[in-house]
């Protein structure tokens, strides 16, 4: 394989970030196809980076020979594009979250496991040097006791983001990075989830039906506990970070990116991070996905926690995973 032939489904902000990185830093990729429901956007990306423009991914799959596809669509729009990629043996980089509902994601995961295609999900926090060094530090501890996570800020301008049926809510679409980072650093999947949520302060926002604030308690299978807070109702204030607690040690990823050991605070090193696109492209070339830090099946475990929280918001009851 000389150059990895890439297609893109969805050419918005996250896709453009991948395109720029791939274009500026990779000599072993070829932009082959750009697909978006906006023909103008697809054509603009094709003109800037290369490839043919499409508005229907089915037509794209039929006309192009692809080695890999970047799927950068909103949570509710996933499904058939992953199925077709599996049937044709095309590796997939899928932006987070992988879906807004659990059952379709389980079906997609079944396709992936049956066909063995390489997958990577865009949980880029895992690849950062801060998270990598935090994990090494925490892995050396005899026990991780708990974690506190936050994604608190303002309301994104994307219209579908504020519609629960399309985004899943802030905790699913945005705070997903904190939920996933907790799983990564704690080294365990969820066991029980209980959440509460409140709304009512955002009545001036049209087509808004997500939570203004939510709090999710998680018990992990290894006994660690966590609380993760989401809020999109702030103005001029933000807190986006995860604090992990051990006896005599607190490690914070995001925000200040530091650690406190027995009262002494030091910066958490950012050295040694990885480029998630590089890891994915190398996996496509070699056929070995073992260096990918978040496969689809792994990301499915993060989705299970977030959607269990959604159920708990509605029912008021804890949900066993």
């Amino acid at each position: 394989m000389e150059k990895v032939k890439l297609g893109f489904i969805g050419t918005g902000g996250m896709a453009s970030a991948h395109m720029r990185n791939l274009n500026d830093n990779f000599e072993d990729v070829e932009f082959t196809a750009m697909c978006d429901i906006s023909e103008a956007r697809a054509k603009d990306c094709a003109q800037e980076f290369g490839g043919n423009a499409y508005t229907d991914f089915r037509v794209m799959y039929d006309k192009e020979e692809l080695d890999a596809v970047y799927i950068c669509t909103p949570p509710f729009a996933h499904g058939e594009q992953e199925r077709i990629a599996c049937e044709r043996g095309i590796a997939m980089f899928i932006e987070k979250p992988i879906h807004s509902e659990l059952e379709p994601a389980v079906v997609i995961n079944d396709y992936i496991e049956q066909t063995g295609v390489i997958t990577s999900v865009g949980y880029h926090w895992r690849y950062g040097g801060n998270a990598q060094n935090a994990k090494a530090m925490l892995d050396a501890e005899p026990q991780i006791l708990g974690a506190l996570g936050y994604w608190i800020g303002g309301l994104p301008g994307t219209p579908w983001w504020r519609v629960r049926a399309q985004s899943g809510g802030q905790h699913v679409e945005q705070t997903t990075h904190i939920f996933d980072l907790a799983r990564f650093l704690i080294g365990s999947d969820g066991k029980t989830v209980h959440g509460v949520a409140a709304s009512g302060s955002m009545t001036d926002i049209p087509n808004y039906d997500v939570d203004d604030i939510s709090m999710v308690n998680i018990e992990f299978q290894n006994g660690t506990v966590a609380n993760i807070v989401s809020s999109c109702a702030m103005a001029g204030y933000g807190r986006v970070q995860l604090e992990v607690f051990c006896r005599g040690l607190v490690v914070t990823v995001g925000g200040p990116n530091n650690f406190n050991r027995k009262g002494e605070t030091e910066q958490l090193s950012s050295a040694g991070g990885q480029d998630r696109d590089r890891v994915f492209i190398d996996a496509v070339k070699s056929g070995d996905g073992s260096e990918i830090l978040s496969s689809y099946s792994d990301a499915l475990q993060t989705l299970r926690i977030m959607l269990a929280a959604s159920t708990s918001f509605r029912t008021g009851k804890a949900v066993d995973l």
Side-chain angles (χ1 to χ4, degrees), residues 34-317:
M34 301 288 181
C35 181
D36 198 285
I37 57 173
S38 167
E39 184 176 12
R41 195 159 55 198
K43 285 183 175 180
D44 286 346
C45 288
Q47 183 174 5
E48 182 175 359
F49 298 105
N52 298 314
Y54 296 90
T55 57
D56 189 329
F57 61 81
R58 301 167 194 83
V59 177
M60 181 195 77
Y61 279 129
D62 285 340
K63 290 191 174 182
E64 304 288 352
E65 290 189 8
L66 301 173
D67 299 312
V69 62
Y70 277 71
I71 299 176
C72 304
T73 55
F76 67 92
H78 290 279
E80 190 175 4
Q81 59 265 53
E82 287 95 342
R83 177 184 63 79
I84 297 173
C86 287
E87 291 173 349
R88 304 195 179 195
I90 300 170
M92 293 180 283
F93 188 107
I94 302 166
E95 265 305 335
K96 45 49 64 183
I98 54 177
H99 213 289
S100 57
E101 299 179 26
L102 183 60
E103 185 175 347
V106 171
V107 171
I108 293 168
N109 191 58
D110 288 342
Y111 281 123
I112 290 167
E113 292 189 345
Q114 290 164 13
T115 58
V117 298
I118 287 172
T119 61
S120 181
V121 175
Y123 284 114
H124 64 273
W125 284 52
R126 292 188 177 210
Y127 292 88
N130 292 324
Q132 292 284 313
N133 289 304
K135 183 162 180 59
M137 189 178 297
L138 292 165
D139 284 349
E141 291 293 312
Q143 184 181 7
I144 299 174
L145 299 172
L148 292 173
Y150 314 86
W151 197 298
I152 299 174
L155 179 70
T158 308
W160 57 259
W161 191 95
R162 63 193 66 173
V163 179
R164 189 184 302 272
Q166 296 182 355
S167 68
Q170 183 186 13
H171 69 293
V172 173
E173 202 286 325
Q174 193 174 55
T175 318
T176 184
H177 285 296
I178 304 299
F179 283 96
D180 187 74
L181 185 64
R183 282 189 56 245
F184 179 61
L185 295 182
I186 291 168
S188 181
D189 289 333
K191 178 183 177 182
T192 304
V193 177
H194 178 260
V196 291
S199 59
S201 71
M202 309 280 277
T203 54
D204 56 320
I205 307 296
N207 300 317
Y208 176 98
D209 69 349
V210 297
D211 307 301
D212 297 359
I213 190 168
S214 66
M215 300 180 182
V216 180
N217 291 324
I218 308 162
E219 180 186 1
F220 289 89
Q221 291 179 9
N222 65 1
T224 303
V225 295
N227 174 268
I228 297 176
V229 181
S230 306
S231 179
C232 60
M234 301 297 107
Y237 175 86
R239 179 183 289 180
V240 181
Q241 64 191 50
L242 180 74
E243 300 168 299
V244 184
F245 300 88
C246 306
R247 185 179 180 186
L249 174 67
V250 182
V251 180
T252 303
V253 179
N257 278 305
N258 61 23
F259 65 95
N260 182 294
R261 191 182 295 276
K262 297 181 179 179
E264 297 294 326
T265 299
E266 297 182 38
Q267 285 299 116
L268 192 60
S269 173
S270 61
Q274 299 168 283
D275 184 321
R276 64 195 186 280
D277 290 320
R278 182 73 268 167
V279 173
F280 174 62
I281 296 301
D282 286 346
V284 175
K285 293 172 68 175
S286 68
D288 179 5
S290 60
E291 297 300 312
I292 290 171
L293 296 182
S294 181
S295 65
Y296 194 96
S297 61
D298 185 86
L300 181 60
Q301 300 309 312
T302 297
L303 186 68
R304 288 185 188 279
I305 293 174
M306 299 181 303
L307 294 184
S310 301
T311 298
S312 186
F313 296 164
R314 294 194 307 269
T315 65
K317 298 179 180 179

